[in-house]
Amino acid sequence: MKKFFVLLGLSLLVAGAVSAQVVRGGTLYAASKTVALKASTGIFAKTNGSLAYGEAVTVLQVNGKWVEVRSNSHSSLTGWTKSANLSAKRILASSGTGSASASEIAMAGKGFSEEVENAYKAEGKNLNYQAVDQTEAIKVSEQDLQNFITEGHLSLGDN
């Protein structure tokens, strides 16, 4: 349990360092499998397009936790995303010839590596990774999500 809190603390430290490096004109990299770029801030704003894992972007402006970026490979693609979807560290997506998938590299970048997984196994923890994979595979449309939030009278938080 102590290791979990240490890993959590390190993750928060890294996230804080990334947030501090989000500056206008700076280069960041898509840190998720796909990163939706929105026409404005807000999770239900129109989607302009998406970035692939590891794709480089230039920061145009920052508004709180939201960052407006331009794709370095497709200069006409711009939009807003949360800073948590971006990394200040250059990310090399898997070419398919290596032993790690883009998903595995993303998890390692967030602190969950094969070594961490093996440490959990060594401690006798019987974790169901297949259930995690199944959960990650669930896709919910933005319309269904918006209906769920509206019908449940939920708050969007700080958007």
Side-chain angles (χ1 to χ4, degrees):
M1 188 68 153
K2 192 185 291 185
K3 287 181 185 180
F4 171 77
F5 288 112
V6 170
L7 287 173
L8 179 64
L10 288 173
S11 297
L12 292 173
L13 182 64
V14 168
V18 169
S19 296
Q21 296 177 19
V22 177
V23 294
R24 189 173 181 190
T27 300
L28 298 174
Y29 304 90
S32 297
K33 199 172 185 178
T34 58
V35 173
L37 294 182
K38 303 290 187 169
S40 62
T41 60
I43 61 172
F44 295 117
K46 177 183 166 266
T47 300
N48 291 344
S50 63
L51 303 170
Y53 180 72
E55 189 170 339
V57 297
T58 300
V59 176
L60 301 176
Q61 60 180 319
V62 180
N63 182 358
K65 294 181 180 181
W66 287 90
V67 183
E68 185 181 26
V69 298
R70 174 183 298 112
S71 168
N72 289 1
S73 57
H74 308 310
S75 61
S76 63
L77 177 58
T78 64
W80 292 89
T81 188
K82 291 241 182 162
S83 60
N85 294 327
L86 303 168
S87 172
K89 291 168 87 175
R90 185 169 184 228
I91 297 171
L92 299 175
S94 174
S95 64
T97 59
S99 61
S101 69
S103 173
E104 291 167 327
I105 293 169
M107 290 301 291
K110 294 177 180 175
F112 196 87
S113 64
E114 184 177 354
E115 293 160 342
V116 173
E117 186 176 331
N118 289 337
Y120 275 105
K121 289 177 183 176
E123 292 177 10
K125 298 185 189 297
N126 188 16
L127 302 176
N128 184 351
Y129 295 104
Q130 185 177 6
V132 173
D133 292 340
Q134 290 172 338
T135 302
E136 287 180 335
I138 296 171
K139 302 293 182 209
V140 177
S141 73
E142 285 190 6
Q143 186 60 55
D144 286 346
L145 179 58
Q146 193 168 16
N147 291 343
F148 178 82
I149 289 171
T150 302
E151 291 171 14
H153 305 287
L154 303 175
S155 168
L156 291 176
D158 68 38
N159 247 357

